[in-house]
Amino acid sequence: MAVAIITGASKGLGRALAGELAGRGWDLVLDARTEKALEESAGAARARGARVVALPGDVTDPAHRRELVAAARGLGGLDLLVSNASALGAEPLVRLDALALDGLRTALETNVVAALGLVQEALPLLRAGRAGAVIAVSSDAAVEAYGTWGGYGASKAALDQLAAVLAVEEPGLRVWAVDPGDMATDLYTAAVPDDDDPRPAPESVVPGFLALIERRPPSGRYAAADLADGTETDAARSGAVEADAARPDAVEADSARADVTEAVR
């Protein structure tokens, strides 16, 4: 049985992805800061047949990260790590000239430092499996200059770079940075509380993530919308070419992972 760790899994994209993976035979380790909401998410995943370990806590806490990986080990290993937990750095978002530096540090600590810390903790299990993969949930703010999104965007740009370097350093894994696109989430509401424009539900972008996990394209940066309709962005193709150039074992690794992918569909 394949095992995934998903951070920020109590609501929004994390909860939606957890539910769909549970329905496809995955066992799950779920993280979030709010215990009640996390247990509700875990209950929904268990109802779809998954074994689920729900661990409330903060991913910036090294002890909590160790607990998450230990829980995955207890379920039999780790095949997928999804870094979805995020912090804005300011709620609502503000211009850079008003951004508190402590807020920027919070965004960097959660979105970058904690994500890397969890990867470091999880790497032995990911390497030991035949189909190890990491998904770093990114944002279009990582590559586009939007007013007031500077601090959050900078943290996601740093996360993208970590994912790109990890892909080169760990050619036996798949490492994907994924832009989910606009979603109606509590995070977006906190960021821009006066924006009343309707936005897609998180469930609507999950098919893109599932396509990524099941098709296992080369490491790179992808947009969920492109994955869902079977296309890839130019940036993703470019990243994939660069990553594959550093992967002399890619063909053999892909053959082995295909067996695992079939087993969890």
Side-chain angles (χ1 to χ4, degrees), residues 118-218:
L118 186 53
V119 164
Q120 290 173 338
E121 193 72 35
L123 271 176
L125 285 185
L126 290 168
R127 289 167 178 157
R130 295 197 305 162
V134 176
I135 294 179
V137 178
S138 185
S139 168
D140 59 346
V143 294
E144 299 290 343
Y146 300 128
T148 74
W149 288 84
Y152 178 78
S155 72
K156 290 298 185 177
L159 180 64
D160 281 2
Q161 180 66 1
L162 287 183
V165 172
L166 182 65
V168 172
E169 294 178 345
E170 297 289 337
L173 305 181
R174 285 289 197 263
V175 185
W176 304 299
V178 184
D179 172 11
D182 286 348
M183 295 181 292
T185 62
D186 289 352
L187 188 78
Y188 186 83
T189 299
V192 192
D194 295 331
D195 187 351
D196 297 326
D197 290 343
R199 295 180 181 277
E203 291 78 5
S204 69
V205 308
V206 169
F209 284 81
L210 295 177
L212 185 75
I213 293 164
E214 293 173 357
R215 294 204 301 261
R216 297 186 63 82

Side-chain angles (χ1 to χ4, degrees), residues 18-115:
E20 289 302 319
L21 287 179
R24 284 165 170 75
W26 287 73
D27 291 329
L28 304 170
V29 178
L30 304 182
D31 146 274
R33 288 177 295 179
T34 306
E35 183 172 3
K36 181 179 179 181
L38 179 61
E39 190 51 47
E40 290 173 354
S41 177
R46 291 187 187 108
R48 303 192 69 173
R51 292 185 298 166
V52 181
V53 178
L55 292 173
D58 191 328
V59 291
T60 65
D61 179 2
H64 179 59
R65 297 196 295 265
R66 288 192 293 271
E67 288 178 341
L68 294 172
V69 175
R73 187 179 295 109
L75 290 175
L78 183 61
D79 303 281
L80 174 66
L81 171 60
V82 182
S83 287
N84 175 61
S86 294
L88 290 167
E91 298 182 13
L93 295 179
V94 295
R95 289 164 47 100
L96 289 177
D97 59 10
L99 179 61
L101 295 185
D102 282 347
L104 177 59
R105 291 187 185 97
T106 296
L108 291 170
E109 188 69 28
T110 302
N111 303 349
V112 186
V113 178

